[in-house]
Amino acid sequence: MAQLQASADSIRPQRRAFWMRQLYQWHWISSALCLIGLLLFALTGITLNHARQIEATPKVVDRAATLPPALLAMVTGEDARKAAPLPDAVADWLDESLSAHVAGRAGEWSADEIYLSLPRPGGDGWLSIDRASGAVEFEVTRRGAVAYLNDLHKGRHAGPVWGWFIDVFALACLVFSITGLFLLKFHAARRVSTWPLVALGLVLPALLALLFIH
């Protein structure tokens, strides 16, 4: 019995050391992955919270052009379509001539014109093509770097790839937080303020929400 007890006592420190190594490994890897993202989202959290106090002066850029006859022939007609993209050749020409990135973008085709809404982080935009004359109007509105970063924080008009990045970043933050919680548990015996501080982090926002959010 004494030998079994001694064997169990020797296994416990080894098991603890194993889990400590694993937790530290995952904790520092996830913290490295999250570092820049956490700084970005923390900063934009402040700017979003004070959006009314941060004034932005929108800059509007207008451009105009006329489709060449060969390209105009690709968009003429009186048919109405919804969510149909422009032909690739037309989209390429608009990109080269007006810096209008419309490839694959859904447009609204009426008998008279084709209209594309072009929202983007930190701004807006639109493009219209007269189906009879080929006249193109393109307008872009930019609201500055702060608005751009705020929209990235919200994932607004940032595209699917940025949405995937936010999901992966959120998972990395979960790993960082959960491994940190377990590390706190391992060290709590030597740091008496650990659990009171953790409890404060839970109770404080809960109280603020109950008392001041109606």
Side-chain angles (χ1 to χ4, degrees):
M1 182 65 71
Q3 290 180 346
L4 290 175
Q5 183 63 39
S7 177
D9 291 342
S10 66
I11 289 173
R12 288 194 190 99
Q14 295 176 7
R15 186 177 298 167
R16 176 187 172 89
F18 169 80
W19 284 113
M20 287 287 285
R21 286 195 301 271
Q22 292 296 317
L23 288 170
Y24 275 120
Q25 182 86 353
W26 285 100
H27 192 66
W28 82 258
I29 289 174
S30 59
S31 68
L33 291 173
C34 293
L35 176 61
I36 302 302
L38 281 172
L39 291 173
L40 171 66
F41 279 88
L43 175 63
T44 50
I46 296 172
T47 56
L48 279 168
N49 199 38
H50 297 277
R52 293 183 180 180
Q53 289 80 37
I54 302 173
E55 296 184 1
T57 304
K59 294 181 180 179
V60 181
V61 177
D62 292 300
R63 299 189 182 105
T66 302
L67 286 177
L71 297 179
L72 177 59
M74 297 180 182
V75 298
T76 54
E78 297 182 355
D79 58 317
R81 312 176 205 173
K82 290 183 179 180
L86 294 171
D88 291 341
V90 176
D92 292 342
W93 184 87
L94 291 169
D95 193 0
E96 293 177 6
S97 303
L98 301 176
S99 296
H101 308 300
V102 297
R105 295 267 193 163
E108 295 183 9
W109 299 54
S110 67
D112 300 323
E113 72 167 359
I114 305 168
Y115 179 85
L116 290 90
S117 178
L118 305 171
R120 63 193 61 207
D124 206 346
W126 58 268
L127 181 141
S128 69
I129 302 174
D130 188 303
R131 300 182 72 182
S133 66
V136 180
E137 294 183 46
F138 176 51
E139 181 180 287
V140 177
T141 302
R142 295 185 176 88
R143 299 185 179 89
V146 173
Y148 178 81
L149 293 175
N150 285 347
D151 283 346
L152 290 184
H153 182 110
K154 296 181 288 186
R156 178 178 179 268
H157 304 312
V161 175
W162 183 258
W164 300 336
F165 164 74
I166 291 177
D167 289 341
V168 173
F169 169 73
L171 288 173
C173 287
L174 283 174
V175 173
F176 177 64
S177 299
I178 292 170
T179 54
L181 180 63
F182 279 102
L183 287 171
L184 286 174
K185 180 180 182 299
F186 275 112
H187 293 294
R190 296 193 300 270
R191 299 169 184 171
V192 295
S193 61
T194 297
W195 296 124
L197 288 174
V198 172
L200 179 63
L202 171 66
V203 172
L204 182 60
L207 283 176
L208 292 175
L210 289 171
L211 296 175
F212 299 105
I213 299 177
H214 304 287

